[in-house]
Amino acid sequence: MAKARDEFAGQPSQRQLRVGELVRKELSDILTRGQVSDPDLDGVIITVPEVRMSPDLRWADVLVMPMGGRDVEVVLEALKRNAKYLRGQVARRVTMKYTCDLRFVADTRFDDDDLITRLLHEPSIRKDFADGGIDDEDDQGENDRD
C-alpha cells in the first residue's frame, strides 16, 4: 500500500508555504517603504508575488517583478547587491532558527501566460479545437468497446 504522502511528493509543505508567505510579506514591506538605499531601486515599484522556500528553510527563491516589467535585469542586480541587507531586515522581523539566504529571480509567469494565450489563438490550434481535438476521437473509440 502506498503512503498517503506520495501523492504530495515534490509539493511544498505547509511549513514551507507559511514561512515563504511571511518572508514575502516582510520583503514587500521593506521594498515598499524604500528602506534600501540603492540608486537603481529609487522610485522603482517592485512586486514580490511569491517566495519559494527550500525544504530545509535555508534558501528562499524570491520572485520579483518591477512594475511595468521594465529594467528587470537592473533591478535583479540591485537586489542581489543588497541581498545581505535585506536578509538582515527579514531576520529582525521574522523569528526563525536560521535566517534564509535570499536568491532573487524574475517572475516570468505573466509572460508564460501570454505565450500560452498566443499559442491557443494560432490557426492550427484553433482548428484542433473546432474539430473536437484528437483526444475526443480516442475517447469515442473506447466508449464503443464498452
Side-chain angles (χ1 to χ4, degrees):
M1 179 178 224
K3 293 182 182 179
R5 183 78 178 141
D6 287 346
E7 77 178 86
F8 300 110
Q11 297 292 322
S13 68
Q14 286 296 314
R15 186 174 185 202
Q16 285 173 274
L17 294 172
R18 188 175 60 242
V19 172
E21 183 59 23
L22 286 171
V23 172
R24 186 202 68 77
K25 179 185 171 297
E26 296 305 331
L27 279 172
S28 290
D29 188 49
I30 293 164
L31 293 171
T32 301
R33 293 177 188 261
Q35 294 178 346
V36 181
S37 59
D38 190 300
D40 290 335
L41 297 177
D42 286 343
V44 178
I45 299 172
I46 301 171
T47 59
V48 184
E50 184 178 358
V51 174
R52 297 178 182 162
M53 300 299 297
S54 66
D56 62 358
L57 304 179
R58 299 264 179 148
W59 287 95
D61 288 330
V62 181
L63 279 68
V64 296
M65 181 57 67
M67 197 61 87
R70 292 176 305 216
D71 301 327
V72 176
E73 293 302 319
V74 173
V75 169
L76 281 175
E77 287 302 316
L79 289 171
K80 289 175 185 177
R81 280 193 309 267
N82 293 289
K84 190 173 182 178
Y85 170 77
L86 291 168
R87 180 179 184 234
Q89 291 298 310
V90 169
R92 287 182 184 86
R93 295 167 176 234
V94 179
T95 305
M96 293 174 45
K97 187 174 183 178
Y98 301 102
T99 304
C100 55
D101 288 328
L102 304 174
R103 291 186 287 201
F104 293 96
V105 181
D107 182 21
T108 60
R109 293 182 293 182
F110 294 116
D111 296 336
D112 297 343
D113 290 346
D114 290 341
L115 174 65
I116 291 170
T117 301
R118 274 188 273 127
L119 288 173
L120 288 174
H121 286 89
E122 284 187 4
S124 61
I125 303 297
R126 287 184 147 217
K127 179 182 166 277
D128 288 343
F129 284 130
D131 292 343
I134 298 170
D135 293 304
D136 291 341
E137 294 171 8
D138 292 342
D139 291 342
Q140 290 172 358
E142 289 177 9
N143 289 339
D144 293 341
R145 290 184 216 144
D146 292 335

